[in-house]
Amino acid sequence: MEGNRAYWNGPKAAHRRVMLKAAGYTDSDIKHKPHIGVPNSFMEGSPGSAHLRQIAEAVKQGIWAAGGIPVEFGIPATCGNVANGAEELKYEQVGRDIVAMSIEFVTKVHHFDGLAMIASCDNIIAGTYLAAARLDIPAMVITGGSMQPGNYCGKKVVEAELDVAVLGGESEEKLADMEEHVCPSYGACPSMGTANTMQMLGEVMNLVLPGTGTIPASDNLKIRKAREAGAYMVELIKSGRKPSDLITKETLLNAIMFDMAVAGSTNAVLHILSIAYELGIKITMADFEKYAEEIPCITGVIPSGPYTVVDFHYAGGVLAVMKMIESKLYTDVPTITGKTWKDILANVKVESTDIIRSLNDPLYNEPGLKVLRGNLSPNGAIVRPTGVPKEMKYFKGKAKVFSNDFESLAAIEKGEIVPGDVIVIRYEGCKGSPGMKEMMLTTDALVGYGLHKSVGLVTDARFSGFNYGAIVGHVSPEAYDGGNIALVENGDVIVVDTIKGEVTLEVSEEELAERRKNWVCPPLKEQKGCLALLAKNCRPAEEGGAMQPW
């Protein structure tokens, strides 16, 4: 903080001070108080971000009251579901890098002493975490919370059910009726999608104050806690504790264990890996494999069970899960509060329920996430076992190969996909897409057409946290890099064993070598813009897929 004071004090800083004075800050504020950047992902076009102005105001009130000066600025935000069904969905993943870079840009110029970032959804909140790791100044994230579930025909309903209905042949009248009911409040969609997964993991990774990540957007406690967070941000700066002090290897291993316990979005793998890489911490797919053997899923949040994140929060939330798996966690690591997790969890009282169970009585006898390996994905692929129907824990079928989500959807709609098929969608990975697009059309159509219990899907792309079925993503090496997924032909036999952790193409090495002789790497689908930059600078999926060429 002292170094930043020199940036704003003395005669040579007059040109800087005058800018802040012209913006309404006083001389005393500028010279003596900690400057705290408040990146706000407010955006009117999404329920996950349209309410963030009110949260930002509370955060700034807290900062002022505690003796800091807040400097709010906007950061990009989108809603992934707006792009669902369109080619533009591939922009979602690069959004993580754009958000991180936008925060980096403003923070470096303004020499903020700390960051109180406000975000809710998907790759936007992941981008704030990545920015915290990159800038390594005192930082925290204040989440926007989750949405209330809707009520349709007397039953609880969430937005993901509308996605399935759209591709399941429902009438226009019914869809219009559902639209009026599925999203009744602000906040992130209340299933275990990427948004809520990352809000939860923020607590574990010491970027979100304990107990606050999943407070529903409709609960006014969210505003009170946002004000408290703003005040605590000043204390965090005074303590000098930075992300590199608070996010240790053990912290990230705790995050992996937590993700197993809650069956978080498969996208969490990419985000944990990229944060680790930014901090110079060695986390690999082997760490996910290790804890998949130790931590079963103990929560029943949609799609792994019938409950919403709102139910999860009022059942105890993140702290309740951590208490349930405390025996496995590294509890001596520091937290954002200055206490250890051992200290914090000592005061947490929780009883096993159908929403959050104990390790001795898990909801599933399998983890919430698993790494699959084999000749089709030697560097690892990802599946969420709790979303795989029991009939499909092991499946063997003939490949039907497609180059994108649209081709696959068309085949389903024409009746060309039948029980026993394994859909292969390739050239949709980090580089091939570029952007590692989510295959939401195909996954939702499989459910909508009743094929999710008889048809598998293997891809080098990724999925939404809403998706479920016998779906395997993040296949690496991806097709664009010449992975064996690029060599699959229609009719090849593929075996996916989610119990043993295997994904195998039953084609001999000799035959694959012959096919490789004729393989030609296609040109990039995007030749300019941020997607072209991503394709040329990103790490592979098993290293997080972010633009981190250093």
Side-chain angles (χ1 to χ4, degrees), residues 5 8-9 13-14 16-35 64 67-71:
R5 294 286 63 74
W8 295 102
N9 282 272
R16 298 190 182 108
R17 289 193 299 272
V18 73
M19 291 295 103
L20 288 189
K21 287 181 180 180
Y25 297 90
T26 69
D27 197 57
S28 178
D29 293 335
I30 299 165
K31 290 181 177 179
H32 303 298
K33 295 179 180 179
H35 294 211
W64 280 118
I69 68 167
V71 181

Side-chain angles (χ1 to χ4, degrees), residues 96-97 129-136 205 244 247-249 252 256 268-285 287-288 537-550:
R96 173 181 64 179
D97 295 275
Y129 296 168
L130 187 60
R134 181 170 301 168
L135 291 162
D136 201 27
M205 293 190 294
S244 59
I247 306 176
T248 64
K249 180 168 185 175
L252 293 176
I256 293 172
V269 178
L270 298 169
H271 301 322
I272 291 171
L273 289 168
S274 64
I275 291 166
Y277 192 86
E278 198 69 48
L279 289 167
I281 298 171
K282 187 175 182 180
I283 295 289
T284 69
M285 298 292 275
D287 294 303
F288 290 87
N537 291 283
C538 68
R539 308 202 72 76
E542 72 273 14
E543 295 179 9
M547 282 195 277
Q548 296 167 312
W550 46 85

Side-chain angles (χ1 to χ4, degrees), residues 77-327:
T78 59
C79 176
N81 220 50
V82 169
N84 187 10
E87 183 66 12
E88 286 73 24
L89 187 57
K90 65 188 181 183
Y91 276 89
E92 282 296 300
Q93 181 75 339
V94 75
R96 173 181 64 179
D97 295 275
I98 293 172
V99 167
M101 290 176 186
S102 67
I103 296 170
E104 175 190 1
F105 159 50
V106 179
T107 300
K108 286 293 188 180
V109 171
H110 277 264
H111 277 232
F112 293 131
D113 298 296
L115 290 167
M117 301 175 277
I118 301 161
S120 296
C121 287
D122 297 0
N123 296 299
I124 309 306
I125 191 166
T128 64
Y129 296 168
L130 187 60
R134 181 170 301 168
L135 291 162
D136 201 27
I137 61 175
M140 69 166 64
V141 176
I142 298 87
T143 70
S146 60
M147 178 189 291
Q148 292 289 337
N151 189 300
Y152 179 65
C153 296
K155 295 182 179 180
K156 182 170 59 180
V157 64
V158 297
E159 198 286 327
E161 294 172 68
L162 177 62
D163 292 345
V164 172
V166 167
L167 295 170
E170 291 291 355
S171 67
E172 186 175 349
E173 291 75 19
K174 181 172 181 179
L175 291 174
D177 195 22
M178 288 184 73
E179 284 179 47
E180 297 297 320
H181 296 89
V182 296
C183 292
S185 77
Y186 292 125
C189 298
S191 57
M192 193 61 78
T194 306
N196 282 303
T197 300
M198 296 314 295
Q199 292 191 51
M200 293 175 191
L201 287 175
E203 292 190 41
V204 186
M205 293 190 294
N206 292 320
L207 289 167
V208 175
L209 286 175
T212 67
T214 57
I215 300 172
S218 58
D219 190 329
N220 285 336
L221 179 63
K222 174 61 72 177
I223 300 301
R224 299 196 297 277
K225 290 298 181 181
R227 192 174 292 112
E228 289 179 11
Y232 186 73
M233 189 65 234
V234 177
E235 295 303 312
L236 190 62
I237 290 171
K238 290 178 180 178
S239 75
R241 295 197 304 276
K242 308 182 299 297
S244 59
D245 301 316
L246 298 173
I247 306 176
T248 64
K249 180 168 185 175
E250 290 75 21
T251 301
L252 293 176
L253 295 178
N254 283 346
I256 293 172
M257 287 186 264
F258 181 92
D259 194 57
M260 297 293 173
V262 300
S265 167
T266 50
N267 290 318
V269 178
L270 298 169
H271 301 322
I272 291 171
L273 289 168
S274 64
I275 291 166
Y277 192 86
E278 198 69 48
L279 289 167
I281 298 171
K282 187 175 182 180
I283 295 289
T284 69
M285 298 292 275
D287 294 303
F288 290 87
E289 290 172 296
K290 169 181 167 58
Y291 290 110
E293 297 295 323
E294 298 182 20
I295 310 290
C297 175
I298 63 172
T299 61
V301 176
I302 300 167
S304 297
Y307 301 101
T308 69
V309 175
V310 176
D311 300 322
F312 173 87
H313 174 75
Y314 292 122
V318 171
L319 292 177
V321 172
M322 294 187 76
K323 184 67 175 181
M324 290 298 195
I325 65 172
E326 183 177 11
S327 63

